[in-house]
Amino acid sequence: MSETASINLGEKTYELPVITGTENEKAIDISKLRDQTGYITIDSGFKNTGSTKSAITYLDGEQGILKYRGYPIEVLAEKCSFLEVAYLLIYGDLPSQAALDEFQRELSYHALLHEDMKKFYDGFPSKAHPMGQLCSLVSSLTAFSPESLNPNPTQDDINLTVLKLLAKMPTIVSWIHKGSLGEPFIYPQNRLDYVSNFMHMTFGQVTHEIDIDPVVVDAMNKLLILHADHEQNCSTSTVRIVGSSECNLYASISAGISALWGPLHGGANQAVIEMLEKIKDDGGDTDKWIAKAKDKNDNFRLMGFGHRVYKNFDPRAKIIKKACDDILAKLGINDPVLEIAKRLEEAALSDPYFVERKLYPNVDFYSGIIYRALGFPTDMFTVLFALGRLPGWIAQWKEMRENKEPIGRPRQVYVGAVDRDFVEMAKR
Ligand code: ACO
């Protein structure tokens, strides 16, 4: 007999179906609740609310498990390139060599930006935040890809839009970096793989060829893979909900980029480095800053700590911490903030405040230190997160459209004034 949940409202009892996922996670299906009972549920921040059934990413916050399409993140980060993982997320299976080569070829073909897009870059002040530029530039792609505007796109339209966006994103991101330095843009190189090409456009020079260190490319691949999807987080839910209005892919992703920007979400990687720098400049007394993070009268939070769903450890943080040690050693970099980060982590993990609240380092606690070692300025960190998250956002948007999900439209409980008498302006 299928499992149900009972709900008592007044004199009546209602039976609600229970849904079981493939990893045995349970949900009470309340989709007919209002029709049956007249009641809605309320769950600020959606802490207990599933918005969809998804076959893309599985996450167990208690056990610290993260899988993309059934593959553990540890295996993918160890054995795959970012492009293979992007293919896996978007199309559902790992590619054969031939499929991967074809995917790479298509992406190389679409990597150039329309020359008119350079005018947008010219319009930004040199100190414009890269995330603001990124969401504008991604949205502006609609102007150059009319096929993306069809609210009922064919499968071919969708495929083309997906390929164009994946192909152009590294060019957009690297040109934002070049623009901030006042350096000439570097054009994509078809002979290079996706990540090497991105590093070439970001750090290359028009005056001479640069060698792209395979250690750097490896590190970048790993970071992008670890950020590639994370089920229904704030930015991904934004992409799905915006897309549910049949809004085009570019605009939906642009909205996701805006959601990612905040320091409680993707913006945390920038905030972590700024925090570590501040602690270093303040003399490096980590106990003082731990005490500030615990003080409820102080707004300071330990950035890069805590997570809505991970309540044991963040598996991505484990991989990143090791990668951080490896990369800094391989590149021969001695970053004093790494020492502060390790001391903070050690102190927090043995402090009852953090232990009781199950607060652990998240993916962003160490990622900024790696980005910095690779040569990226702090305000580019969240843009790199967006570059990594792109395949996940695309996969989630595509799944939402393919499942023909209804427009996202939560309800509310109204708590405002009731029936006020209108008073003419002269008498107010
Ligand atoms: N430092 C100090 N205290 C914290 C922290 C922190 N980083 N995070 C949570 N807490 C405390 C809260 O004050 C609260 O304490 P209380 O119960 O005494 O009131 C308790 O822990 C629960 O915190 P909430 O904010 O309710 O947890 P929520 O799940 O809503 O928030 C979040 C999760 C936003 C990630 C939070 O932990 C935080 O602000 N962390 C710092 C920012 C950060 O690193 N964000 C990146 C997340 S990863 C990502 O998006 C890629």
Side-chain angles (χ1 to χ4, degrees), residues 264-265 268 296 301-306 308 353 357 362 364:
L264 297 189
H265 190 16
K296 294 291 170 200
R301 276 193 166 198
L302 202 53
M303 299 313 288
F305 252 75
R308 173 57 64 77
Y353 174 96
R357 288 169 179 75
N362 59 49
D364 286 326

Side-chain angles (χ1 to χ4, degrees), residues 47 227 230 233 260 262-269 272 293-294 296 300-309 311 314 316 353-354 357 359 362-364 385 389:
K47 293 190 180 191
H227 286 90
H230 212 230
N233 55 80
L260 188 75
L264 297 189
H265 190 16
N269 56 13
V272 169
K294 294 178 345 187
K296 294 291 170 200
F300 175 74
R301 276 193 166 198
L302 202 53
M303 299 313 288
F305 252 75
H307 198 276
R308 173 57 64 77
V309 284
K311 301 298 175 194
D314 179 340
R316 304 166 302 171
Y353 174 96
F354 293 91
R357 288 169 179 75
L359 301 170
N362 59 49
V363 66
D364 286 326
F385 189 152
R389 183 54 55 87

